[in-house]
Amino acid sequence: MNILVLNGSPKGKNGITVQTAYYLQKRRADFFCYPVYTFLVPYQLQRFIELMKANNADTKGKVASQISTSKHFYDVTAHKFIEENGYDMQLRYICGLSADMDELLTQKGQNDAKCYFDEMIFKIQNGIFLYKEPAKACEKRVYEKTLTAAEKSDAKDIAIVTSCAVQDINLRNMIDDFKAVLPYNAREINLTQFPFAGGCLGCMECAVSGKCCHNDILFTMRQMSGVNYIEEL
Ligand SMILES: Cc1cc2nc3c(=O)[nH]c(=O)nc-3n(C[C@H](O)[C@H](O)[C@H](O)COP(=O)(O)O)c2cc1C
């Protein structure tokens, strides 16, 4: 039996989560794993899943499970995210292991990891999986623009922050309607055009300085908005 490990930690081989996989690998297996970052899986793994879906990755019928480490703060949300995405991709799912970040150093943590692994192998050998039919596509409805433009003033500086995709006609029309009735001129900042240098690396620089270690943020915000005061943030 081959098991693929998708290591979703930006810390790569030095991550805490992957140590659980290495630990279990000693028992001749490989694993899927990630740390919980800000209530969810790290962005790099989210993007990887998005690309798998966009490219119709051949996952139908394969078995998936997950290992995370965290402080158990919204780890449930992250596990549900992986589980539901798995169903979307027609994977058969086995409930994962959510370990505390220090747990592997304890006898109990090591036993929990071994029990999880043994149970997973048992379930694979006996065909015990969770599975859900992918959600059916619902009827597409288009929001039509209906509102008449109000008179505008520059008395306030309003920025509309959006992640509206080019093909998202509904959101486009809603934003246009909102801008129409707004009595002020508004700037629009579309995050989809924002050239992010990368996802969170977990370096915790922001905890100390309040700023991200990627320099793209200030540079690009300034370029997109043309407003210099963002530099002060
Ligand atoms: C930026 C950042 C965000 C985090 N967010 C959460 C969180 O929302 N919930 C939680 O329980 N732990 C959170 N943690 C703790 C990590 O999940 C934990 O340290 C994990 O073991 C790191 O694993 P890794 O070394 O494989 O990256 C966060 C850590 C970082 C660096």
Side-chain angles (χ1 to χ4, degrees):
M1 182 191 307
N2 292 323
I3 304 177
L4 169 74
V5 181
L6 291 175
N7 179 18
S9 172
K11 293 183 192 146
K13 282 193 250 172
N14 297 324
I16 292 171
T17 327
V18 80
Q19 304 307 322
T20 313
Y22 289 152
Y23 176 71
L24 292 171
Q25 201 171 31
K26 292 214 164 96
R27 309 182 78 224
R28 302 198 201 303
D30 301 332
F31 265 89
F32 297 79
C33 58
Y34 63 89
V36 178
Y37 271 15
T38 327
F39 319 147
L40 211 58
V41 308
Y43 175 73
Q44 292 86 336
L45 186 54
Q46 289 176 44
R47 182 71 187 132
F48 186 77
I49 292 170
E50 270 174 19
L51 291 172
M52 280 175 85
K53 286 174 148 181
N55 290 287
N56 295 319
D58 181 19
T59 48
K60 189 174 177 182
K62 292 201 165 69
V63 181
S65 189
Q66 53 181 325
I67 296 174
S68 70
T69 64
S70 69
K71 289 313 288 175
H72 296 303
F73 186 63
Y74 284 87
D75 52 336
V76 176
T77 319
H79 275 244
K80 210 64 198 162
F81 174 86
I82 292 290
E83 180 181 347
E84 293 293 331
N85 270 289
Y87 295 142
D88 285 351
M89 293 187 283
Q90 295 182 284
L91 287 162
R92 292 175 293 166
Y93 179 71
I94 295 174
C95 284
L97 172 74
S98 173
D100 186 280
M101 64 182 285
D102 303 319
E103 233 169 335
L104 196 61
L105 299 174
T106 66
Q107 189 64 53
K108 179 186 172 302
Q110 292 170 11
N111 284 342
D112 284 352
K114 281 185 219 158
C115 286
Y116 159 71
F117 179 70
D118 290 344
E119 189 182 327
M120 194 187 76
I121 296 299
F122 176 83
K123 285 182 170 169
I124 291 173
Q125 285 167 347
N126 292 281
I128 305 168
F129 310 114
L130 294 170
Y131 180 77
K132 242 198 240 173
E133 285 298 327
K136 290 200 173 61
C138 58
E139 188 196 334
K140 191 170 165 65
R141 291 194 193 163
V142 178
Y143 173 86
E144 303 288 353
K145 286 187 260 191
T146 52
L147 304 176
T148 335
E151 251 184 59
K152 308 288 178 211
S153 96
D154 284 325
K156 291 187 198 291
D157 180 15
I158 296 187
I160 298 171
V161 181
T162 175
S163 59
C164 186
V166 179
Q167 69 277 14
D168 193 344
I169 299 163
N170 278 326
L171 186 53
R172 182 72 268 148
N173 287 350
M174 281 188 255
I175 293 170
D176 285 349
D177 253 1
F178 176 75
K179 280 164 94 174
V181 287
L182 200 66
Y184 306 101
N185 287 312
R187 293 178 287 124
E188 205 177 309
I189 297 175
N190 193 331
L191 296 178
T192 61
Q193 292 157 14
F194 197 108
F196 287 104
C200 174
L201 298 174
C203 69
M204 300 305 281
E205 171 66 30
C206 58
V208 180
S209 67
K211 290 181 184 169
C212 182
C213 66
H214 291 306
N215 282 328
D216 57 357
I217 307 290
L218 294 180
F219 175 73
T220 319
M221 286 295 268
R222 201 165 57 237
Q223 276 202 328
M224 288 175 69
S225 66
V227 177
N228 282 330
Y229 66 75
I230 287 173
E231 202 164 18
E232 306 298 318
L233 291 178

